[in-house]
Amino acid sequence: MYDIIVVGGGPAGLTAAIYGLRNGKTVFVIEKSVFGGQIVNSPKVENIPGFDSISGDEFGDKMLEQAMGQGAEVTLEEVTGVEKNGDTFIVKTAEGGAYEGRTVILATGTTHRVLGLEGEQDLIGNGISFCAVCDGDFYRDKKVVMIGGGNSAFVESNLLVDIVKELVILQDMPFFTADKKLQEQVLSHGNVETHVGTKILDYIIQDGQLKGVRYEEEGTAKEVSSDGVFLAVGLVPENDAFTDMADVNEAGYFTTDNICTTKTPGIYIAGDCRAKTLRQVATACSDGAYAAIAACDFLKG
């Protein structure tokens, strides 16, 4: 029996764990893939208070070390659902785990959005990637396409420009939405070609291999050859397994009040899985603090 079970080990979940532990509660954190969340894929982060610059991987390690140092128990398992059990909750996992907690904080984060085009799922990991840190070196001295024009796209592009021979950026909006500094860093390289106001039509596939992308620009169908494609077209929440405990909006994000409570007493929400206007490490940590304090207040009865 734990006072607080946290589902998700990113900045929101680990902050919640730290705040819960500092309030004298027992805390169990369940993470399905990597502690630290998606920030671990960022080699250089410059907007986290207290650090001029830090790698996402190092920041994730520091948060995990802090939480465990204060007594958090952790595990790597995939949570499949939460059930009410009288005055407590049972958190179930795909690995067969069933953990009991007096409160639960859902900090489930988001996953990468895809385009939904024919053949896409078969190409993920075999021509289509999301992470330049993970897969960039596979395309050294090759030509790649980046689909997207926001901060994520330009963070990834900033890594790729020093690796690839040619980088083509395709954005569906009429302008890039990334921070100006990021744009300047990427667009100053001579191996970058950009197109805005585009619509991706399909992938060019030959014998099961990705060969390029067809897209529409100003009403004209065009195509670009490519050895690989990186997708940075947004994120989607993974909240379907918990909608009986917490309401979601049309986009699938949890809807909560400003202190992260839900329709179910004892269930709280934190981080990017929550409906809000800004998703950053700082806002995730804020959510984690609010959720943990709310849970601790609930436990006081």
Side-chain angles (χ1 to χ4, degrees):
M1 171 73 73
Y2 298 92
D3 292 324
I4 302 172
I5 295 179
V6 181
V7 180
L14 291 173
T15 298
I18 291 165
Y19 270 71
L21 291 159
R22 288 180 61 83
N23 275 272
K25 308 306 179 187
T26 56
V27 179
F28 185 47
V29 184
I30 308 174
E31 164 59 39
K32 74 173 184 178
S33 56
V34 57
F35 285 98
Q38 293 198 33
I39 192 68
V40 302
N41 295 320
S42 298
K44 186 178 182 181
V45 186
E46 299 177 313
N47 61 357
I48 297 175
F51 301 96
D52 288 334
S53 177
I54 188 171
S55 75
D57 189 50
E58 183 183 359
F59 180 69
D61 285 346
K62 284 180 177 295
M63 292 195 73
L64 178 61
E65 181 181 351
Q66 184 180 7
M68 293 182 68
Q70 294 190 31
E73 294 183 37
V74 304
T75 188
L76 282 172
E77 296 183 47
E78 182 179 359
V79 173
T80 56
V82 177
E83 296 179 0
K84 196 80 170 68
N85 182 42
D87 293 333
T88 64
F89 300 93
I90 303 297
V91 178
K92 295 187 175 182
T93 70
E95 293 76 7
Y99 305 101
E100 189 172 9
R102 297 170 64 196
T103 63
V104 175
I105 297 174
L106 299 173
T108 52
T110 56
T111 190
H112 294 284
R113 187 185 300 278
V114 296
L115 299 178
L117 299 175
E118 183 177 354
E120 187 172 53
Q121 289 299 321
D122 292 334
L123 292 171
I124 292 175
N126 184 34
I128 294 178
S129 301
F130 303 98
C131 174
V133 173
C134 312
D135 300 332
D137 204 56
F138 293 130
Y139 301 100
R140 183 170 295 277
D141 299 324
K142 296 182 179 181
K143 182 177 180 179
V144 301
V145 168
M146 171 63 68
I147 299 177
N151 279 345
S152 295
F154 273 81
V155 167
E156 300 298 316
S157 295
N158 200 31
L159 295 169
L160 291 171
V161 289
D162 293 324
I163 298 173
V164 303
K165 180 179 180 180
E166 185 176 352
L167 174 65
V168 180
I169 304 176
L170 303 178
Q171 161 74 314
D172 60 347
M173 297 180 68
F175 52 84
F176 294 123
T177 59
D179 293 343
K180 292 298 183 184
K181 183 178 179 181
L182 275 174
Q183 292 189 42
E184 291 169 0
Q185 290 172 344
V186 173
L187 301 180
S188 64
H189 290 74
N191 61 338
V192 179
E193 176 184 335
T194 64
H195 299 268
V196 297
T198 65
K199 178 183 178 181
I200 308 302
L201 300 176
D202 55 33
Y203 299 108
I204 301 171
I205 304 171
Q206 294 179 4
D207 299 324
Q209 298 297 310
L210 178 70
K211 297 297 182 181
V213 174
R214 292 190 181 91
Y215 64 98
E216 185 178 284
E217 184 177 15
E218 296 181 349
T220 302
K222 300 180 180 181
E223 63 179 54
V224 54
S225 62
S226 175
D227 298 296
V229 168
F230 283 78
L231 289 178
V233 293
L235 301 167
V236 293
E238 297 184 301
N239 298 334
D240 290 349
F242 313 104
T243 54
D244 55 338
M245 294 289 170
D247 292 328
V248 297
N249 63 13
E250 291 182 357
Y253 289 95
F254 289 123
T255 56
T256 74
D257 59 16
N258 63 344
I259 59 170
C260 301
T261 61
T262 69
K263 66 181 181 181
T264 305
I267 299 287
Y268 305 90
I269 306 298
D272 286 0
C273 60
R274 188 169 80 88
K276 53 184 179 177
T277 57
L278 183 64
R279 292 183 173 85
Q280 295 286 304
V281 170
T283 62
C285 293
S286 172
D287 285 353
Y290 270 118
I293 295 302
C296 291
D297 287 344
F298 176 82
L299 290 169
K300 292 177 183 177

